[in-house]
Amino acid sequence: MQHRSPYARPGERLLSQLDLVGSATRIRALEGNLRPQHKWEHLDEPHKPSVKANTAIARELAGWCWSLAAPLQQGDRMTVA
């Protein structure tokens, strides 16, 4: 899984896309990239089977995506800088 290796820094393409959104959205996006990697490190310590760890990471990402979409379901708009 891609989140197993450490997250160094965003590439040029991601940085150019982050320039198009507001600062709050930019922070959430970068945190969203770091969080699964920290979760994987936590799950790897007790030597969890990789299937369980992958499922936990997928659930974490699904919850994070939902948290981004929830305000849109209430009629709020995403802000673009």
Side-chain angles (χ1 to χ4, degrees):
M1 187 163 195
Q2 102 181 37
H3 292 291
R4 190 171 192 170
S5 59
Y7 182 72
R9 86 181 270 287
E12 290 181 28
R13 181 177 177 210
L14 180 59
L15 288 174
S16 67
Q17 290 175 342
L18 288 175
D19 289 338
L20 302 175
V21 297
S23 61
T25 305
R26 183 179 305 121
I27 290 169
R28 294 254 320 148
L30 293 174
E31 286 175 351
N33 281 326
L34 290 173
R35 188 174 173 142
Q37 200 271 325
H38 292 298
K39 183 83 166 179
W40 185 270
E41 288 175 352
H42 175 72
L43 292 171
D44 203 26
E45 288 173 4
H47 304 289
K48 291 272 186 202
S50 63
V51 173
K52 286 187 178 182
N54 287 341
T55 303
I57 298 296
R59 184 176 179 181
E60 184 83 17
L61 288 172
W64 181 78
C65 290
W66 175 86
S67 74
L68 289 177
L72 298 176
Q73 293 175 355
Q74 297 173 357
D76 295 344
R77 291 179 171 240
M78 291 185 79
T79 57
V80 176

